[in-house]
């Protein structure tokens, strides 16, 4: 397996990577045909495949790093976004951590962020190609002095000499995403035990983890980046029982206070859509209190209020119309308002947004924009029409 990587680390391989950088998919055949006249066909194919992976990885790592790093298909898919890894590294640094055992390190995304924060890292992965890729990335980014990569079974690694442990169990297998935590590699129970035994530990888990599955001695943090929920982390050695939502960039962190569910009230002038990390962390009540608002329905995470207030944790919309779910009425209303650009959001509705957009706005002609929320209000299927609001 390592043969997929090692030829690219030679001078010839690196020169080819420079030459194929930024190759568009439509140009790959012509580029491959030209390059195979002077280079082995397998090396050319490997370079073009790596160029494709680097292009995909730029969204997570940024162009500058992605163009120097090495990736595997699974590594691009499963690696931590650089902004999220940097946030975690900052938290560990603030806790006085100077060394971390990074278990299940993958291609090294978290190890890179830790090393850039000045933390010494032992990066461990049992897959030979993955470990070799992590080692190549440490070299490529000038971090080899701080990152030791070890090919090993993480369950057999002694982490006693490290200030902290970070565990990122594999949650994908040959058939895709794994939903049973005990089918993770390693199993979640082992990861929790390993994290609990360390002075400080962070355990990366799926954001959909049930709250009742969070150990009592752990802090749970849900993290979003630019509005997209990226992961949940169980922290050990910090604040047992704490629940927080962290929004990046920022970071902006909302700490749970154990508030009861918000009251349900009629739709007011404004609708607030909480960030996904806030919803996953079950902290909608904290935001509703901040906004002096309530819920449109006891089962729906939309907050409504009469006033417009600044908040870091929800996006405000001004509601202009509230009507029962009826596509014909919506279509007529959009025509009356001259709407040609319609954004459809839903929560608690089985209707597909694209389907509704197609039916309600078959021939967009108006110059105005609007947002429609498909939801329930006091249990009834409802459409709320509005537009983004700014205080």
């Amino acid at each position: 397996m390592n043969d997929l990587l090692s030829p690219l680390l030679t001078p010839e391989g690196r020169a080819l990577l420079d030459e194929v950088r930024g190759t568009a998919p439509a140009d790959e055949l012509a580029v491959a045909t030209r390059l195979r006249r002077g280079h082995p066909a397998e090396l050319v194919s490997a370079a073009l495949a790596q160029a494709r992976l680097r292009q995909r990885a730029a969204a997570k790592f940024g162009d500058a790093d992605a163009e120097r790093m090495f990736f595997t298909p699974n590594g691009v898919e499963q690696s931590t976004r650089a902004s999220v890894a940097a946030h975690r590294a900052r938290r560990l640094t603030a806790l006085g951590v100077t060394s971390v055992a990074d278990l299940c390190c993958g291609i090294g995304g978290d190890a890179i962020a830790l090393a850039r924060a000045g933390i010494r890292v032992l990066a461990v992965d049992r897959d030979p190609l993955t470990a070799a890729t992590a080692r190549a990335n440490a070299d490529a980014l000038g971090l080899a002095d701080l990152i030791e990569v070890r090919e090993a079974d993480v369950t057999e690694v002694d982490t006693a000499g490290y200030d902290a442990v970070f565990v990122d169990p594999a949650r994908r297998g040959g058939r895709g995403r794994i939903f049973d935590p005990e089918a993770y590699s390693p199993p979640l129970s082992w990861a929790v035990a390993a994290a609990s035994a360390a002075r400080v530990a962070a355990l990366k888990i799926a954001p959909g983890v049930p709250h009742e599955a969070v150990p009592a001695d752990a802090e749970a943090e849900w993290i979003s980046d630019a509005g997209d929920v990226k992961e949940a982390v169980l922290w050990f050695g910090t604040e047992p029982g704490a629940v927080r939502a962290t929004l990046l960039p920022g970071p902006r962190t909302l700490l749970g206070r154990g508030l009861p569910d918000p009251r349900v009230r009629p739709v007011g002038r404004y609708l607030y859509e909480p960030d996904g990390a806030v919803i996953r962390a079950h902290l909608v009540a904290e935001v509703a209190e901040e906004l002096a608002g309530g819920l449109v329905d006891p089962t729906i995470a939309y907050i409504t209020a009469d006033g417009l207030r600044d908040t870091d944790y929800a996006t405000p919309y001004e509601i202009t119309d509230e009507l029962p779910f009826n596509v014909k009425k919506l279509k007529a209303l959009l025509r009356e308002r001259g709407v040609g650009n319609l954004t459809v959001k839903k929560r608690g509705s089985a209707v597909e947004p694209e389907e509704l957009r197609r039916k309600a706005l078959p021939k967009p002609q108006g110059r105005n924009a609007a947002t429609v929320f498909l939801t329930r209000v006091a249990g009834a299927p409802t459409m709320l029409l509005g537009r983004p609001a700014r205080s």
Side-chain angles (χ1 to χ4, degrees):
M1 291 293 290
N2 280 11
D3 288 342
L4 297 173
L5 174 67
S6 55
L8 296 176
L9 302 178
T10 64
E12 183 181 12
R14 292 179 185 276
L16 267 179
L17 285 172
D18 288 339
E19 191 162 353
V20 301
R21 179 183 300 159
T23 299
D27 299 331
E28 281 192 4
L29 181 58
V31 171
T33 301
R34 174 175 58 81
L35 292 176
R36 283 170 181 163
R37 297 180 189 133
H39 303 279
E42 289 185 359
L43 182 58
V44 172
S45 296
L48 285 168
Q50 190 61 225
R52 286 195 299 273
L53 292 174
R54 286 177 167 182
Q55 290 170 10
R56 286 174 53 196
K60 282 188 173 183
F61 292 92
D63 291 334
D65 279 353
E67 287 180 356
R68 293 186 289 164
M69 292 173 66
F70 296 87
F71 300 96
T72 64
N74 284 341
V76 172
E77 182 72 26
Q78 299 179 26
S79 57
T80 303
R81 182 176 290 263
S83 56
V84 178
H87 162 70
R88 182 162 35 249
R90 286 192 296 268
R91 282 205 67 183
L92 287 165
T93 300
L95 291 166
V97 169
T98 61
S99 62
V100 171
D102 178 0
L103 308 181
C104 310
C105 69
I107 60 163
D110 278 280
I112 289 166
L114 292 167
R116 282 178 167 167
I119 296 173
R120 179 172 59 88
V121 185
L122 169 65
V124 184
D125 203 285
R126 70 178 182 180
D127 179 69
L129 176 59
T130 302
T133 304
R135 190 175 294 111
N137 286 333
D139 289 336
L141 298 179
L143 299 169
D145 289 345
L146 283 170
I147 301 175
E148 175 196 346
V149 179
R150 187 180 302 175
E151 180 190 325
D153 185 331
V154 296
T155 63
E156 299 175 358
V157 174
D158 182 6
T159 63
Y162 294 84
D163 293 341
V165 169
F166 171 62
V167 193
D168 183 7
R171 297 183 298 280
R172 286 183 177 272
R175 297 184 178 180
R177 190 178 300 277
I178 298 171
F179 294 97
D180 177 9
E182 288 307 297
Y184 292 174
S185 181
L188 184 61
S189 58
W190 179 91
V192 168
S196 299
R199 180 178 71 82
V200 175
L203 168 55
K204 180 178 171 181
I205 56 175
V209 62
H211 279 231
E212 56 268 23
V214 175
D217 59 341
E219 169 200 327
E221 179 183 29
W222 278 262
I223 304 172
S224 68
D225 187 25
D228 293 329
V229 181
K230 294 303 178 185
E231 63 182 57
V233 183
L234 300 182
W235 289 89
F236 297 83
T238 55
E239 301 176 61
V243 176
R244 70 178 67 220
T246 296
L247 283 58
L248 302 174
R252 294 155 289 158
T253 296
L254 179 65
L255 189 62
R257 290 182 284 123
L259 298 180
D261 291 339
R263 65 188 177 97
V264 177
R265 53 151 290 174
V267 176
R269 182 176 177 182
Y270 296 99
L271 187 77
Y272 293 84
E273 182 181 25
D275 183 271
V278 170
I279 296 172
R280 293 282 195 176
H282 295 182
L283 298 181
V284 173
E286 279 75 1
V287 179
E289 183 181 75
E290 176 185 322
L291 298 171
L295 300 182
V296 299
D297 184 275
T299 64
I300 303 295
Y302 282 140
I303 299 169
T304 187
D306 297 317
L308 181 60
R309 299 191 181 188
D310 282 327
T311 177
D312 289 328
Y313 305 109
T315 302
Y317 294 84
E318 183 176 10
I319 299 303
T320 57
D321 300 272
E322 176 184 353
L323 58 158
F325 183 84
N326 186 303
V327 177
K328 288 185 178 179
K329 288 185 178 179
L330 177 63
K331 184 177 180 180
L333 184 59
L334 295 176
R335 185 169 54 248
E336 176 187 323
R337 301 287 170 78
V339 173
N341 183 4
L342 182 66
T343 299
V344 181
K345 292 176 172 287
K346 72 166 189 172
R347 188 159 290 153
S349 172
V351 177
E352 290 301 323
E354 189 54 44
E355 178 187 357
L356 178 71
R357 187 183 296 108
R358 188 169 53 250
K359 290 180 178 179
L361 211 63
K363 296 179 180 179
Q365 295 178 340
R367 302 179 63 179
N368 297 323
T371 300
V372 63
F373 294 87
L374 306 179
T375 188
R376 293 193 301 273
V377 172
T382 303
M383 298 185 292
L384 302 175
L385 192 67
R387 52 180 172 259
R390 292 292 179 267
S391 58

